[in-house]
Structure formats: structure tokens, C-alpha cells
Amino acid sequence: MALPLGVCMIPVMILGLSSVLQGQSVIGYLYFGFPAGLSIAAAWTYIRIRDVLVEMHFRDGDVGIRSLVSAASPSGKIRWFRLLDMQSDGNQIRLTLGHEFYKIFLSEWPEKQDLIEHLREALGDMKQQLDD
């Protein structure tokens, strides 16, 4: 997770270096550039970890998901969605849950076969309800 900080600080470092080489003051980059880069990196990290799925729950054809942020507070509610579509190609699965799309990398899930079976069952339950 060091990538956001590195990417956000590169412009500050380049501008600071060019100012030093030209003999100008760099104190402004320390007082304003560093906190701005740090704030942007923190916001970027929060947005990214909010989208990373770490828990999936299944009940009656519904899929409950929890992101890294929501799993950090176990007392929070699980968001339940209808599984509308599932596409698998090799190492990843693309899910359509409600109005949102999620990409799951199977290499990150230790029990990937159980996960795939549960997702197929949930998708089958959804298709069966539509047929009825």
C-alpha cells in the first residue's frame, strides 16, 4: 500500500529538486506540498480499501459482502445483494451484485473452490426465481 504515497509525493519531490537546483527556497514544498500529498494518498488508500472485498456471506440466493473497512468493525451490518451475473475467466471472477460490479481475484481467496460453488448456487437460485 506504499504506492499511493509514492505516486502522490513524486510531484512534490520533483518540484522541490528543481527549486533547489535553481537556488530557490523549498520551504513551501515542505509546509504545503508534503501535507497535500499525504492527504491525497490517505484519501486514495481509503477509497481503495473500501472497494476490496474480504468477506462473502450466502443466504437464500443473496450474497452478503464486507469490504476491508467494514470488516474492521464486526458490529457493522452486512450489505446483502442479489447476484445478477457471474463471469469467470481464469484467475478472476466478475460479479454483478445489485447495481455494483466487483472483481474477485481467485489467487487472493484460500478456499476458492467453495467460493465458486456458493456463487454458482446463488446464481442458480436467482435464475430459478426468475423462471417461476
Side-chain angles (χ1 to χ4, degrees), residues 17-117:
L17 176 64
S18 65
S19 295
V20 165
L21 292 175
Q22 293 175 6
Q24 299 174 352
S25 173
V26 293
I27 198 77
Y29 295 110
L30 291 174
Y31 283 136
F32 301 111
F34 180 72
L38 193 60
S39 300
I40 292 170
W44 180 1
T45 301
Y46 178 76
I47 289 169
R48 287 293 303 136
I49 65 172
R50 194 181 59 186
D51 292 338
V52 174
L53 296 181
V54 294
E55 286 184 20
M56 294 187 80
H57 302 270
F58 301 94
R59 76 164 185 210
D60 301 331
D62 293 337
V63 178
I65 59 171
R66 295 184 91 186
S67 68
L68 197 56
V69 172
S70 64
S73 61
S75 61
K77 291 185 176 182
I78 297 173
R79 296 180 359 186
W80 292 97
F81 295 99
R82 247 337 137 175
L83 178 60
L84 300 176
D85 188 31
M86 180 177 93
Q87 297 176 352
S88 176
D89 57 346
N91 189 34
Q92 67 182 7
I93 296 176
R94 289 184 302 273
L95 301 175
T96 305
L97 298 172
H99 295 292
E100 299 182 31
F101 299 98
Y102 294 95
K103 190 181 290 187
I104 297 174
F105 294 98
L106 293 175
S107 59
E108 298 173 357
W109 292 80
E111 299 175 0
K112 54 187 137 207
Q113 292 297 24
D114 292 339
L115 176 67
I116 293 171
E117 288 175 21

